[in-house]
Amino acid sequence: MKEKNAIGLLLLTSLIWGLTFVFQSQAAKYIGPFMFNGIRMIMGFLILFPICLKSIKKKQKTDKDYLKNLLIRGLICGILLSSACVFQQAGLSYTTAGKGAFITALYILFVPLLGGFTKDKPSKSAWAYAVLGLLGAYMISVGQESGINKGDLMVFICAILFAFQIMAINYGVKAVSSVDLTAFQMLFGGIICLVSGILFEDFSFSMVEDALISILYAGIFSCGIAYTLQAVGQKYVRPEKASLAMCLESAWAALGSALILGERMSARELIGCLLLFAAVILSTLPKPKACHSHH
């Protein structure tokens, strides 16, 4: 595949992920965060599983520990993914889709900082981008009088959890295929969310009915299709270019929430978005590192 075609796939991935915020924002009115994420992740797993089945059978022949490694790494990533998604979904009940997407994008700044706990010490520029990003998030989230919106704070925690999830994925793909890992993190994440939803949330099938379009979009497009497009696209694109393409998801989310939901941002919030977006884009340029998703 030519690089420009693969970049096209990654731009499509970022568009799907960006618009997911709009559907998540709508779903938050009808269904709890655990059940929403549980159903969509299991749907994503079912879409990816047929692809994985062949891969697992093939890998097991040459690597006896492949399935064991996949299950352990899938469980770790699944715990982090489900935690991040639940905080994000809960936060979207109290903040807008556009703001939620921009704050989530902070995970791209936290990844190099977390690298400081491993052998990859963060550079001075990584710290500078993190400060710029935090300033942007502050301007988006903190109103003149009201203090930090609790929804923004939940989404901020989600961004930190996504950074840990990316570190876990980077570690995981050294031993197993990225599509296999994606599928199994969704399986475990989905199970954790469904069990938690049954224990802690009010649930009825009418809730699923009310949120059905959002659940179908998030399950089929965001979990199933976009993750597969990302895995395919990244094989043919340099990591820093892949990062830039996929990091546009926050811009798509703001555009989608304005056009579809009629959400508007104040001048202060727009400046905050521009600062955060600048920090995200700049942080992907110097050190070539792939930008993973966040849904």
Side-chain angles (χ1 to χ4, degrees):
M1 185 186 289
K2 288 182 178 168
E3 188 181 55
K4 65 177 182 184
N5 296 345
I7 287 173
L9 289 183
L10 295 177
L11 285 171
L12 181 57
T13 301
S14 74
L15 175 62
I16 292 170
W17 279 334
L19 292 179
T20 303
F21 281 95
V22 176
F23 287 95
Q24 283 179 260
S25 185
Q26 292 300 92
K29 296 172 186 173
Y30 306 110
I31 190 168
F34 284 120
M35 284 316 246
F36 174 78
N37 281 300
I39 296 167
R40 69 184 274 225
M41 284 183 197
I42 294 296
M43 283 172 69
F45 169 74
L46 292 173
I47 291 165
L48 293 173
F49 186 62
I51 305 166
C52 300
L53 202 56
K54 283 181 185 172
S55 157
I56 293 166
K57 281 180 180 171
K58 193 174 165 187
K59 299 265 173 54
Q60 273 289 107
K61 286 175 185 170
T62 52
D63 178 2
K64 288 281 179 281
D65 290 332
Y66 186 78
L67 188 59
K68 187 180 87 173
N69 281 329
L70 179 59
L71 293 173
I72 293 167
R73 285 162 169 76
L75 178 62
I76 293 165
C77 294
I79 291 167
L80 292 167
L81 178 70
S82 56
S83 306
C85 287
V86 166
F87 269 103
Q88 184 185 61
Q89 186 63 17
L92 286 172
S93 298
Y94 305 102
T95 191
T96 64
K99 283 167 72 175
F102 275 101
I103 297 167
T104 300
L106 282 170
Y107 73 85
I108 299 157
L109 309 177
F110 294 145
V111 169
L113 302 186
L114 285 177
F117 295 106
T118 63
K119 60 181 181 295
D120 302 318
K121 287 280 177 280
S123 61
K124 283 177 186 168
S125 59
W127 288 108
Y129 301 140
V131 170
L132 183 62
L134 285 169
L135 178 64
Y138 176 82
M139 288 188 74
I140 295 167
S141 310
V142 183
Q144 276 81 344
E145 320 81 23
S146 60
I148 293 180
N149 170 333
K150 69 174 174 181
D152 297 337
L153 191 61
M154 286 178 184
V155 180
F156 184 78
I157 293 168
C158 139
I160 295 169
L161 288 165
F162 270 133
F164 279 104
Q165 185 246 0
I166 287 166
M167 301 291 279
I169 290 240
N170 286 345
Y171 168 75
V173 294
K174 290 172 183 167
V176 296
S177 121
S178 56
V179 178
D180 292 351
L181 186 59
T182 296
F184 276 81
Q185 76 168 346
M186 282 185 199
L187 173 65
F188 288 117
I191 292 168
I192 291 164
C193 285
L194 287 177
V195 171
S196 303
I198 291 163
L199 293 175
F200 304 117
E201 286 176 354
D202 291 328
F203 175 71
S204 69
F205 286 103
S206 65
M207 290 177 178
V208 176
E209 215 175 313
D210 291 337
L212 190 61
I213 292 171
S214 297
I215 292 168
L216 288 174
Y217 181 90
I220 295 167
F221 288 93
S222 176
C223 289
I225 295 171
Y227 275 98
T228 311
L229 291 179
Q230 179 198 10
V232 173
Q234 277 193 220
K235 283 183 186 173
Y236 304 99
V237 180
R238 287 175 59 84
E240 66 274 26
K241 285 189 183 177
S243 297
L244 287 174
M246 289 187 293
C247 294
L248 285 171
E249 70 175 283
S250 54
W252 295 124
L255 193 62
S257 64
L259 294 174
I260 300 166
L261 303 178
E263 289 178 359
R264 293 288 176 267
M265 288 186 176
S266 66
R268 175 194 170 97
E269 287 168 354
L270 281 170
I271 292 166
C273 285
L274 288 173
L275 286 176
L276 178 46
F277 202 52
V280 167
I281 294 290
L282 288 168
S283 74
T284 64
L285 291 175
K287 271 181 115 177
K289 271 204 172 173
C291 156
H292 296 247
S293 143
H294 2 285
H295 298 290

